[in-house]
Amino acid sequence: MTAPHPPRSGDLRLLSAADVGGLLADSEPQVLEAVKRAYLAHSAGETTVPHSLFLPLPGDPRNRIIALPAFVGGGVEAAGLKWIASVPANLEAGRPRASAVLLLNEVATGRLRAVIESSTISAWRTAASAALAAAHLVPAGRAAQVGLVGCGPINAAILRFLRKALPIGGELLVHDLDAARARGFAASFPAETEALAVRAVDGMREVLAGSSLVSFATTAAAPHVADLSPCAPGTTILHVSLRDLAPEILRDADNVVDDIDHVCRASTSLHLCEALVGHRGFIRCTLGDVLRGAQPGRRSPGGVSIFSPFGLGALDVAVGALVLERAERERRGLVVEGFLGG
């Protein structure tokens, strides 16, 4: 629906999933840049990112709603809150696992500016974060052969952004506990993968052995991978789902994260590793440190490097600000006049 005029003070803009999809179409480079700016602002101390709040839902310990508030400065100057629900059993009923909304506030007054359906923003900021890390962690000058563990929308989005961020080639290997889902995933991406050969495999070991870049995006609640010995020297792992790898693996790897304090909580693999070793020294640096040149992308070209992003609300706010700016310019969405009163 098209707004008849730019919003006045007190008006509220509502953006649906269709609105957001249209506004983000073919915008991967711009989203990558927005995520990079958010990381640089965070590294420079120009963000406020409180700890996420987890609201458990009954029935399954994996069911929860998460609140991620954030302010992003560094030229973005936006504040907001992502409210995202995750119920893995939805997949069995043919529904998306996650649903999300993003609230954006005017920084100067605190007044609410927009309510935005945020499942695409959430997936794209996650994918852009992973792809940005891969572009800096994969050994320089080497095309990545990609393996995906978990065949859901997050790894689909990660693949989409990886193809924009760095050269990939060879055979794309995909694995899921649901073999039928993996086969369906492999068959669904001819346009995304173009010349890449895509193959679903039954064992994770084959993914680890056959890929120089591996992305974990699963619903695992506890570590289930205890051995990375099949990985070739120089392998890069995107540990997006945070709870797949045993703490002993992280203890011995080259670890890069988005925020050290955020990622060492909520029973993540890094939280468990901290408990195991009694400190956080196994984490070498943050992605922000790498982006601003304070740290190299990896400790050595022959080791295993792991990127573990907790997923900062600052990224949602930065990408949401991009979407809102375009919506206001193009007069997209529904404007509720006088929603806030005077």
Side-chain angles (χ1 to χ4, degrees):
M1 186 178 296
T2 302
H5 51 70
R8 299 180 296 261
S9 178
D11 292 352
L12 178 71
R13 190 176 297 269
L14 302 177
L15 297 174
S16 69
D19 292 325
V20 174
L23 291 162
L24 284 178
D26 300 318
S27 294
E28 292 89 346
Q30 291 78 16
V31 172
L32 282 164
E33 181 60 28
V35 167
K36 181 179 180 179
R37 288 182 67 188
Y39 274 135
L40 289 172
H42 189 62
S43 185
E46 297 175 338
T47 64
T48 303
V49 187
H51 282 155
S52 305
L53 174 67
F54 294 83
L55 176 66
L57 296 175
D60 186 320
R62 298 177 299 169
N63 296 345
R64 57 192 181 171
I65 308 178
I66 311 168
L68 295 88
F71 162 75
V72 185
V76 179
E77 310 308 320
L81 170 75
K82 180 171 78 170
W83 181 242
I84 180 166
S86 176
V87 179
N90 280 340
L91 297 172
E92 300 168 10
R95 294 187 294 264
R97 174 187 60 83
S99 59
V101 65
L102 178 67
L103 310 180
L104 289 181
N105 295 75
E106 192 174 71
V107 172
T109 67
R111 289 166 72 85
L112 188 63
R113 294 178 62 193
V115 177
I116 306 172
E117 198 286 329
S118 195
S119 57
T120 299
I121 290 173
S122 184
W124 278 38
R125 68 78 150 150
T126 300
S129 166
L132 193 62
H136 289 80
L137 270 62
V138 168
R142 194 178 85 190
Q145 186 163 323
V146 176
L148 305 178
V149 179
C151 293
I154 297 301
N155 257 342
I158 287 172
L159 175 61
R160 179 185 194 125
F161 274 83
L162 284 174
R163 291 185 60 78
K164 301 292 183 181
L166 76 164
I168 63 176
E171 187 176 44
L172 174 67
L173 302 179
V174 301
H175 169 73
D176 195 281
L177 289 178
D178 183 338
R181 192 172 191 226
R183 290 192 296 271
F185 184 97
S188 67
F189 283 96
E192 292 287 343
T193 57
E194 298 173 359
L196 284 176
V198 186
R199 182 162 59 93
V201 298
D202 293 331
M204 191 186 310
R205 187 179 184 88
E206 189 171 354
V207 176
L208 296 175
S211 309
S212 59
L213 174 62
V214 181
S215 174
F216 283 87
T218 75
T219 59
H224 58 98
V225 179
D227 180 19
L228 292 185
S229 62
C231 293
T235 296
T236 302
I237 293 178
L238 305 175
H239 187 208
V240 176
S241 37
L242 289 177
R243 295 170 179 86
D244 301 275
L245 304 180
E248 292 81 4
I249 287 175
L250 296 172
R251 179 191 59 195
D252 300 329
D254 179 25
N255 293 288
V256 179
V257 303
D258 55 358
D259 182 283
I260 294 173
D261 188 46
H262 282 254
V263 83
C264 288
R265 58 192 302 264
S267 298
T268 65
S269 295
L270 294 96
H271 192 189
L272 299 179
C273 189
E274 179 187 16
L276 175 68
V277 302
H279 57 78
R280 297 176 176 180
F282 63 94
I283 299 173
R284 179 169 60 84
C285 67
T286 69
L287 181 56
D289 294 331
V290 174
L291 294 176
R292 62 188 177 88
Q295 290 285 340
R298 58 192 303 130
R299 187 167 55 199
S300 67
V304 174
S305 291
I306 301 174
F307 176 58
S308 299
F310 192 75
L312 303 178
L315 307 186
D316 299 278
V317 168
V319 177
L322 171 68
V323 169
L324 180 57
E325 186 275 330
R326 290 183 171 184
E328 291 179 341
R329 185 176 65 242
E330 299 177 18
R331 300 191 179 186
R332 295 284 294 269
L334 172 65
V335 172
V336 182
E337 297 180 3
F339 180 84
L340 301 177

